Amino acid sequence: MRIRKKSPKPSAKRPPLYFIGYRGTAPGTDEVKALYDREYGGPLVIQHEAGSPESWQATHGPWSAHVVMPLPTDQVAAVMKQLTWEHDLMGAIAPSITSPRDMPDTVLLATRLARCLTLLSQGTAYDVITQAYVNPSDWQQRVLSAFQLDDHVSIVHDDNAHPDRVWSYSLGLSKFGMDEIEMFSAKGLPDSSTKDILSASGNELLRLGQPMKVGATLDLPLLGRTVRVRNYRTAAPAGRMLGFRELHTS
């Protein structure tokens, strides 16, 4: 999402991480700052775009995110029709572009802003990548130093995409500038093992801060397993094209 002074709208270079649906007046930035500082220690610094009070940048330490709330109605009409909510207005939050190693903290900042705005507006946050709706009571409160991949990435099991196997894949690693990961398994096998491998692999990839090439291996010490990247491809399981790296265990 690129912030523009008069007509802010999402941009392909910085796509929104969350949409916030709400009614009435958007929370003031002083309210956002007060809640954020109380919940996460702060200090949160907010700078408004000149001439555009609905557009602002929030910074906590070296990390920043961009907020536009509300978005112009004519620019989000098509998006609003696709979302299953009854909110009249919508805002957007996008993390700043940074290095893969710093993306977890930057995404964490944007997510905390989404939580604050959801609580203050009593609205609904929509996670663009995982397609999850988060109401005020759905947020998991975490301490300032906590980062849990499950808060940001979903593991999906699809037994209809292929006639003889289950397609398991992540949705959310692309928030961090990474490709999603996937595995294929025979039908009838428990999904829990595949989920554990994908979750552990996602954590290791974020720790390394860089994608793996086809043929590379990744050790998962907590599981005592090793995975190898078998293939790279693109697919659109959630309606938008994403890169996937297929993992295989021996």
Side-chain angles (χ1 to χ4, degrees):
M1 182 177 63
R2 179 177 299 167
I3 305 301
R4 301 175 63 184
K5 291 185 178 181
K6 294 187 178 180
S7 57
K9 62 180 181 179
S11 163
K13 293 183 179 180
R14 188 179 289 142
L17 188 64
Y18 287 96
F19 287 125
I20 308 294
Y22 65 101
R23 293 175 178 271
T25 304
T29 51
D30 55 340
E31 298 177 272
V32 177
K33 175 177 170 52
L35 178 58
Y36 187 99
D37 288 352
R38 188 184 72 208
E39 295 286 312
Y40 304 114
L44 184 72
V45 178
I46 295 177
Q47 292 182 316
H48 287 271
E49 294 290 322
S52 296
E54 73 279 8
S55 303
W56 40 278
Q57 177 173 301
T59 302
H60 184 193
W63 309 290
S64 65
H66 301 265
V67 178
V68 180
M69 194 165 180
L71 287 162
T73 304
D74 60 333
Q75 295 179 5
V76 299
V79 178
M80 290 285 272
K81 291 179 181 179
Q82 298 171 12
L83 301 179
T84 56
W85 63 27
E86 297 179 355
H87 299 296
D88 298 325
L89 301 168
M90 185 169 73
I93 304 171
S96 298
I97 298 174
T98 186
S99 66
R101 191 172 298 277
D102 288 332
M103 278 306 297
D105 289 313
T106 305
V107 169
L108 195 56
L109 168 62
T111 302
R112 286 169 173 164
L113 288 170
R115 177 177 179 268
C116 289
L117 288 168
T118 305
L119 294 177
L120 290 170
S121 68
Q122 287 298 293
T124 303
Y126 175 73
D127 187 319
V128 176
I129 301 297
T130 65
Q131 298 187 338
Y133 293 87
V134 190
N135 293 309
S137 61
D138 297 328
W139 287 104
Q140 297 293 321
Q141 173 63 311
R142 307 292 188 194
V143 298
L144 183 62
S145 59
F147 177 87
Q148 296 192 23
L149 189 68
D150 289 347
D151 291 341
H152 309 277
V153 178
S154 299
I155 305 299
V156 181
H157 303 285
D158 185 346
D159 56 6
N160 296 317
H162 302 273
D164 58 347
R165 56 183 181 168
V166 177
W167 177 28
S168 301
Y169 57 91
S170 69
L171 274 181
L173 285 177
S174 54
K175 297 177 185 178
F176 306 95
M178 310 287 286
D179 290 320
E180 304 293 345
I181 50 180
E182 63 181 354
M183 295 182 69
F184 295 93
S185 58
K187 290 187 175 181
L189 297 177
D191 293 334
S192 58
S193 177
T194 303
K195 180 179 179 179
D196 289 344
I197 293 172
L198 288 172
S199 295
S201 299
N203 274 305
E204 283 297 300
L205 288 171
L206 288 186
R207 184 184 66 82
L208 294 172
Q210 59 185 11
M212 294 173 57
K213 296 181 179 180
V214 174
T217 59
L218 181 68
D219 292 328
L220 308 177
L222 294 180
L223 300 181
R225 305 286 293 271
T226 298
V227 295
R228 180 175 62 86
V229 181
R230 172 183 279 182
N231 185 37
Y232 170 80
R233 71 187 185 106
T234 57
R240 54 184 300 175
M241 195 63 67
L242 298 169
F244 285 87
R245 295 182 188 264
E246 181 187 351
L247 304 182
H248 177 72
T249 59
S250 55

